Amino acid sequence: MRLSSLCHGAFSSTYARAPFQLPTSLAARRALTRSYHTNYPAQNAYVPSTSSGSTVNQDEIAHFSRLSSLWWDEHGEFGQLHKMNPTRVKFIRGKLVESALEDDLNANVDEIRPLKGKAVLDVGCGGGVLSESLARLGGITLGIDASHSNIQIASMHAAADPALRSRTIGHTGGSLEYKHTSAEDLLREHGPNSFDVVCSMEVLEHVNNPRSFLDSCAQLVKPGGYLFLSTIARTPLAYFLTIFMAEDLLRFVAPGTHTYSKYVNPHELEEFFRSYKSSLTGRNWITGNGPISRVQAETRGMMYVPWRGEWVLLDRGSKWAEGCNYLFWVRKPVEA
Amino acid sequence: MLSRVATKYWRGRVSVSTKRHASSVPSERDVVIVGGGPAGLALASSLASSKLVRESLKVTLVEAGDLSKVREWDPPRGTYSNRVSSITNSSHEFLQGTGAWDHVEQGRTQPIEEMEVWDGISDARIHFSAGDAAVEPASQIARLTENLNLQRGLLRHLSQFSEIELADKVKVDSIVQDEQEGGGWPLVHLSDGRVLRTRLLVGADGFNSPVRSFAGIQSYGWAYDTHGVVATLFHAPRNSLQSPNTVAYQRFLPTGPIAFLPLSETASSLVWSTRPPLAAALKALDPAVFAGMVNAAFRLPETSVRYLNNEMLQAHLAGTPLSLAQFHEELEFREKSHMIDSRSALSSVRRPADSGMPPDGAEDYPPLVTSVQPGTVASFPLKFSHADSYIGEGRGARTVLVGDAAHTIHPLAGQGLNLGLADVEALSECIVDALSLGGDIGSYTALTPYARTRYFENHKMLSACDKLHKLYASTAEPVVWARSVGVEVLNELDALKGALMMSAGTTKTRGPPGQVGWELAARGVEGFAKNVDNVRVLGSSIAGVVGAGLRQLWQQNSQGRRL
Ligand SMILES: Cc1cc2nc3c(=O)[nH]c(=O)nc-3n(C[C@H](O)[C@H](O)[C@H](O)COP(=O)(O)OP(=O)(O)OC[C@H]3O[C@@H](n4cnc5c(N)ncnc54)[C@H](O)[C@@H]3O)c2cc1C
């Protein structure tokens, strides 16, 4: 069993160093490092490009296709990310259905495709593993990443899939587009209140300024819309598994891959949104001082169960919920 | 070019052609099922029954044969196809759930309510009835149906769903992997010139699976030195003093088990596993002699069955097959020498129908066969095989195997088709789950739960049946010795019974079908084989101890499950 996998999920493409598992070949490692030259948030690091891939040359295609096979090799570097993805989607789907019914018990909720017709943003989309699922579930999806390579990889992968190639996906009404940009720039471009759902998975632990990153993501959410995050808690267990074991002891990943101080604990996210307002006059995203109501925000732990070969969503309030990998959901007040 | 690629992959491993077929622009599919046998059709039908699938996936089934022959199959009343299967209650429930069972002609199916299984050497015998089901009393142990009745039902069910494309009389000529960047999807080249590019390629293409070859999946196994002789048998109806023809009979002879499976009051199906030369001789027999051989094989002591087999074989090899007169003479002589009264249940001499009281113990043996339906005597080589994996990887990515493409099993427990149906049920569940989470149904991640659910389950069943076959077919001296004195045979039959009865329950109420039972049966048989030697050394006085643990285990298990 890979220890690192226990506690470590996916790596956002936007993240600056090697992924958590040692790439299999030197060439692959070089390719990866080359592509991860931008850190997050990296407003200055990328050169805004036209979003069509028309400027890409043949050499680049070869280069990206090599990287693409790394991102999309389910047995490779990002294997855990692929395994984790259904669990993340399950959480997203569950919260959407639950909240829709919360708003109106008699609502005709599409339980299978609750994203149908919704504007969805995936911040730090990487190779597009989550974005593709969101689009298939009916989301009008935009995946953004600060790494130009990742956007090329994601676009190329989607182009091979006829269900994603067409702008409108079958009966689901979903669509998928990618753009090389950061959350901050997108906010400047689109203005606030633009998306029904904003997701940013396994990104927070790699950003330099989580407060401003969260602020940008939060602003992009429409009133009444949702923000989904996933990251790693700053706990002794997480330190032990992701840094001490994986980096220092076993050298699964290059030392320095993780910075313990960047890990964010669930209650820190909760605190952030208790005091966070979208505007001067608006109300806080999380109100009251007691236990948080499930209609405002929720934290769920996620754990890899090796003998089942899959990630599972831990029960609400499980002791382990805050132990390591977790999902976080918060809803923007309607009267923001 | 087409044929070159084809020969390449028929020979074995993947052929990933680097050349493209200029002829045809691939049409895009989400699921291509290769094979319109019971497994392929059941998968198409099960997928069709899901609204989500119908709305989101383009599904095509490709079958080399002519499906209209199956669709229009309409046999004269009272005649039956020789390929029949016992559908377990779990399979039955699955088919009811998808809605396909409603299209299976019920009048052509027959419940099995009881089973008589006995050892050919010791005559140790065990009786099963549906009421013994380890979990809950079921009304039947299984239901017998012709494969064609099931396949026709599946096609009728499918005809309601225009979304599923059926391409028959079309062969898969070759399969290659596409070269699109970020792609690597299978390109399926059909004999009509069409090319299908598919997200998921399902191999339901039987034992010689071209899909398995394309995926580069190795298969582990061997041919048994055994053929299964099948035939449709006619007999007089049971008389009013007897139970209806709902009892299945199986006798374990050293050459292999012979099974008698009820199809109606006056017809039953034969599956006689035996050595290939004997199978060839049986097939060449005059039908009346064939019927007599079947009757004798269920009744005569093993030594005489062996003797008759030998006479038949010698005559066959000499080019002068046994005549009816010769056969009767031999039979009478044999019965006399065993002091079998011609009016007893053990006699194969035909009695006029309805001659009053049936002889004592008549229900221990199948009804006397009076004739064989013309053209139904056939034989199939039996093999054991299990694919190393059910999901293709790398160059064989986006492929998955179900049914006989993934595994073949000895028919002694009537499980082959049922395993295939269980595969299909698990795979379609897996596909629907992945769809509902926005997954890519061709991805390894999406397909993993299917392999996890089925691989080990199938393996247990496959090895249990394999071990049972080997044990009973064993001519190893200690094993035969042990069986001849009846040592432990009952225990081992008990294990078999446990296994069968557990798989006779219904799935939904009890979790995975019959798995514990098969594990026990396999362990029991293994234990038996290991123990016979010791038993012989220690003497029969303590023989009863060996294997008793197993019986206890099974009983505990069934009690536990009853709670
Ligand atoms: C003697 C005997 C008795 C049996 N008794 C029982 C029983 O009592 N109970 C039970 O459950 N099972 C029984 N079985 C097993 C059962 O018959 C099989 O398990 C079952 O038929 C397998 O179904 P399948 O759909 O997987 O494969 P198949 O029935 O082999 O179907 C494969 C299909 O794929 C098609 N195909 C192959 N290659 C291509 C190609 N290149 N292009 C297009 N099409 C192609 C073929 O035409 C065929 O129609 C028995 C088997 C034998 C031999």
Side-chain angles (χ1 to χ4, degrees):
Chain A
M1 223 259 326
R2 287 201 303 262
L3 263 167
S4 57
S5 63
L6 238 188
C7 217
H8 221 293
F11 277 71
S12 155
S13 50
T14 50
Y15 120 80
R17 290 151 302 238
F20 57 99
Q21 204 206 334
L22 205 65
T24 41
S25 68
L26 204 64
R29 291 192 63 157
R30 273 200 211 107
L32 271 174
T33 0
R34 247 206 286 164
S35 76
Y36 295 124
H37 56 82
T38 47
N39 202 348
Y40 214 97
Q43 295 95 316
N44 309 321
Y46 74 89
V47 185
S49 70
T50 50
S51 63
S52 83
S54 58
T55 55
V56 183
N57 66 32
Q58 281 308 311
D59 281 353
E60 278 184 296
I61 288 183
H63 170 67
F64 294 138
S65 95
R66 227 176 12 254
L67 287 178
S68 170
S69 64
L70 289 179
W71 260 102
W72 286 95
D73 175 6
E74 294 169 85
H75 308 284
E77 326 285 347
F78 296 106
Q80 286 298 323
L81 167 76
H82 288 274
K83 282 189 179 151
M84 188 192 255
N85 194 48
T87 313
R88 307 194 299 201
V89 177
K90 202 177 281 175
F91 180 71
I92 294 173
R93 199 183 62 181
K95 283 320 285 188
L96 280 156
V97 172
E98 187 185 312
S99 309
L101 290 173
E102 183 65 36
D103 290 350
D104 176 5
L105 251 183
N106 300 317
N108 189 11
V109 181
D110 187 339
E111 298 203 11
I112 299 291
R113 299 195 190 92
L115 285 172
K116 198 166 180 169
K118 297 216 183 319
V120 181
L121 175 68
D122 181 13
V123 181
C125 63
V129 176
L130 178 67
S131 299
E132 288 194 3
S133 294
L134 298 172
R136 284 198 195 92
L137 290 179
I140 300 162
T141 309
L142 174 64
I144 63 168
D145 204 294
S147 148
H148 178 60
S149 314
N150 285 337
I151 291 302
Q152 295 303 325
I153 290 163
S155 306
M156 198 162 66
H157 190 266
D161 186 335
L164 300 170
R165 200 155 51 204
S166 46
R167 274 183 66 103
T168 302
I169 301 171
H171 308 262
T172 68
S175 65
L176 181 58
E177 246 186 286
Y178 289 110
K179 194 176 163 75
H180 174 212
T181 186
S182 69
E184 290 74 6
D185 281 5
L186 194 78
L187 179 60
R188 242 166 264 148
E189 195 182 320
H190 281 239
N193 306 338
S194 299
F195 295 90
D196 297 294
V197 176
V198 174
C199 303
S200 183
M201 301 299 197
E202 318 316 308
V203 175
L204 200 59
E205 65 270 28
H206 303 291
V207 304
N208 287 328
N209 187 343
R211 291 197 155 263
S212 95
F213 175 76
L214 285 176
D215 179 52
S216 301
C217 290
Q219 286 197 56
L220 283 161
V221 180
K222 286 183 190 171
Y226 316 105
L227 175 63
F228 288 94
L229 301 166
S230 75
T231 187
I232 306 174
R234 192 174 65 257
T235 60
L237 176 67
Y239 173 79
F240 179 72
L241 291 172
T242 62
I243 298 181
F244 182 68
M245 291 298 283
E247 292 187 11
D248 297 343
L249 207 60
L250 301 173
R251 302 274 158 135
F252 278 148
V253 294
T257 293
H258 291 105
T259 314
Y260 183 63
S261 61
K262 283 188 177 176
Y263 289 4
V264 181
N265 283 341
H267 75 263
E268 291 166 327
L269 278 179
E270 289 160 14
E271 284 317 310
F272 179 88
F273 286 102
R274 270 185 209 278
S275 55
Y276 186 76
K277 290 183 205 186
S278 303
S279 65
L280 282 175
T281 54
R283 77 161 171 82
N284 295 340
W285 282 36
I286 298 176
T287 55
N289 294 318
I292 296 167
S293 150
R294 250 173 71 188
V295 302
Q296 292 191 348
E298 187 175 336
T299 303
R300 289 287 286 277
M302 231 188 331
M303 202 167 86
Y304 183 68
V305 184
W307 55 91
R308 282 172 55 180
E310 58 186 26
W311 286 78
V312 295
L313 218 49
L314 298 170
D315 288 343
R316 280 185 193 88
S318 151
K319 275 213 170 68
W320 292 90
E322 312 200 346
C324 205
N325 289 79
Y326 66 95
L327 288 152
F328 177 80
W329 166 85
V330 63
R331 190 168 187 191
K332 187 167 186 167
V334 180
E335 70 290 5
Chain B
M1 155 91 208
L2 259 172
S3 60
R4 194 178 61 80
V5 173
T7 43
K8 229 160 86 187
Y9 87 70
W10 280 112
R11 251 184 248 134
R13 285 192 59 90
V14 206
S15 82
V16 180
S17 168
T18 46
K19 293 185 191 101
R20 280 178 201 234
H21 289 256
S23 53
S24 184
V25 179
S27 64
E28 304 280 0
R29 289 292 180 278
D30 292 296
V31 184
V32 170
I33 303 168
V34 182
L41 289 175
L43 179 63
S45 136
S46 163
L47 289 176
S49 70
S50 153
K51 184 162 172 277
L52 184 59
V53 169
R54 291 200 306 276
E55 283 177 1
S56 0
L57 300 179
K58 279 189 241 156
V59 181
T60 298
L61 180 145
V62 182
E63 164 59 43
D66 183 354
L67 289 177
S68 65
K69 287 203 180 123
V70 180
R71 210 175 276 120
E72 287 147 24
W73 176 68
D74 188 18
R77 264 183 75 84
T79 67
Y80 292 89
S81 150
N82 59 5
R83 290 303 302 270
V84 302
S85 296
S86 61
I87 303 291
T88 60
N89 290 334
S90 340
S91 299
H92 187 215
E93 233 177 88
F94 160 59
L95 294 168
Q96 276 176 322
T98 61
W101 189 255
D102 293 343
H103 300 274
V104 173
E105 191 180 327
Q106 299 305 306
R108 299 190 70 88
T109 70
Q110 183 83 341
I112 299 177
E113 288 163 355
E114 291 170 64
M115 283 175 77
E116 287 286 340
V117 178
W118 68 104
D119 181 46
I121 295 180
S122 66
D123 275 332
R125 174 182 284 265
I126 203 147
H127 172 85
F128 308 50
S129 92
D132 303 345
V135 186
E136 64 195 60
S139 63
Q140 60 189 27
I141 296 170
R143 191 166 269 273
L144 219 68
T145 177
E146 297 151 282
N147 289 2
L148 279 167
N149 189 16
L150 174 62
Q151 284 169 265
R152 186 183 59 180
L154 291 165
L155 280 171
R156 287 179 176 168
H157 180 237
L158 275 166
S159 69
Q160 307 174 335
F161 307 103
S162 56
E163 295 91 339
I164 312 285
E165 185 199 1
L166 299 179
D168 66 340
K169 292 181 275 179
V170 177
K171 253 193 83 166
V172 169
D173 274 340
S174 67
I175 309 167
V176 295
Q177 198 180 32
D178 86 348
E179 298 150 27
Q180 189 171 345
E181 300 297 351
W185 292 25
L187 290 173
V188 184
H189 293 262
L190 304 182
S191 56
D192 63 2
R194 280 206 297 164
V195 182
L196 307 178
R197 178 176 185 267
T198 186
R199 179 186 302 280
L200 173 63
L201 176 63
V202 183
D205 43 359
F207 175 71
N208 287 314
S209 175
V211 171
R212 193 180 63 223
S213 312
F214 158 71
I217 298 174
Q218 304 296 313
S219 184
Y220 159 84
W222 52 81
Y224 292 114
D225 184 24
T226 304
H227 282 193
V229 177
V230 297
T232 303
L233 310 172
F234 295 126
H235 45 80
R238 298 269 190 176
N239 79 25
S240 52
L241 297 167
Q242 294 172 299
S243 55
N245 189 30
T246 53
V247 186
Y249 295 87
Q250 178 148 273
R251 184 184 192 191
F252 282 90
L253 292 166
T255 42
I258 177 168
F260 188 95
L261 308 158
L263 282 166
S264 77
E265 277 312 299
T266 55
S268 296
S269 185
L270 173 79
V271 182
W272 187 349
S273 308
T274 189
R275 301 274 142 70
L278 291 173
L282 278 169
K283 278 200 293 183
L285 283 179
D286 170 87
V289 182
F290 183 88
M293 284 298 277
V294 171
N295 289 332
F298 278 108
R299 289 169 172 80
L300 277 184
E302 194 273 325
T303 46
S304 284
V305 175
R306 206 185 323 151
Y307 177 83
L308 283 181
N309 273 342
N310 206 30
E311 291 294 292
M312 170 184 72
L313 187 60
Q314 296 313 321
H316 175 69
L317 294 176
T320 51
L322 221 53
S323 72
L324 191 59
Q326 282 172 315
F327 173 74
H328 276 154
E329 199 181 313
E330 291 285 359
L331 181 69
E332 252 168 69
F333 177 78
R334 289 274 127 197
E335 289 194 352
K336 270 207 194 94
S337 69
H338 293 293
M339 293 195 277
I340 295 172
D341 187 285
S342 68
R343 282 157 307 178
S344 88
L346 277 172
S347 172
S348 303
V349 178
R350 210 191 303 160
R351 290 167 293 268
D354 283 324
S355 59
M357 289 286 283
D360 253 11
E363 297 193 14
D364 287 349
Y365 303 96
L368 277 174
V369 177
T370 52
S371 64
V372 178
Q373 184 182 315
T376 60
V377 181
S379 76
F380 303 89
L382 304 181
K383 18 188 188 255
F384 174 101
S385 70
H386 201 190
D388 287 351
S389 152
Y390 293 172
I391 312 175
E393 286 178 47
R395 296 187 137 196
R398 296 183 178 275
T399 52
V400 66
L401 305 176
V402 293
D404 276 22
H407 42 69
T408 51
I409 187 171
H410 194 289
L412 67 86
Q415 293 295 328
L417 188 117
N418 290 296
L419 294 186
L421 291 176
D423 292 350
V424 162
E425 181 175 19
L427 179 60
S428 38
E429 253 174 48
C430 183
I431 289 175
V432 171
D433 282 353
L435 268 185
S436 72
L437 290 174
D440 174 352
I441 60 149
S443 68
Y444 194 87
T445 310
L447 296 170
T448 304
Y450 159 66
R452 276 189 173 252
T453 322
R454 293 304 308 157
Y455 196 89
F456 190 51
E457 280 317 302
N458 286 340
H459 196 77
K460 279 190 292 197
M461 178 78 82
L462 287 161
S463 59
C465 290
D466 180 51
K467 284 167 188 158
L468 283 169
H469 167 78
K470 289 195 172 137
L471 175 66
Y472 283 106
S474 171
T475 46
E477 196 240 340
V479 179
V480 171
W481 172 82
R483 286 176 63 197
S484 67
V485 295
V487 175
E488 291 312 307
V489 170
L490 270 177
N491 272 339
E492 178 209 304
L493 287 175
D494 211 13
L496 179 66
K497 174 173 178 174
L500 278 168
M501 294 319 285
M502 283 186 219
S503 53
T506 51
T507 26
K508 301 301 176 270
T509 48
R510 98 197 123 83
Q515 48 172 313
V516 187
W518 287 103
E519 202 169 50
L520 286 180
R523 254 194 269 152
V525 171
E526 217 163 25
F528 173 75
K530 271 195 216 120
N531 283 320
V532 267
D533 251 344
N534 305 340
V535 172
R536 194 162 67 127
V537 173
L538 296 172
S540 58
S541 55
I542 59 148
V545 180
V546 183
L550 173 81
R551 192 191 298 154
Q552 224 171 11
L553 207 57
W554 173 61
Q555 279 161 355
Q556 270 168 9
N557 182 274
S558 48
Q559 275 157 11
R561 283 168 161 259
R562 252 188 231 117
L563 295 178

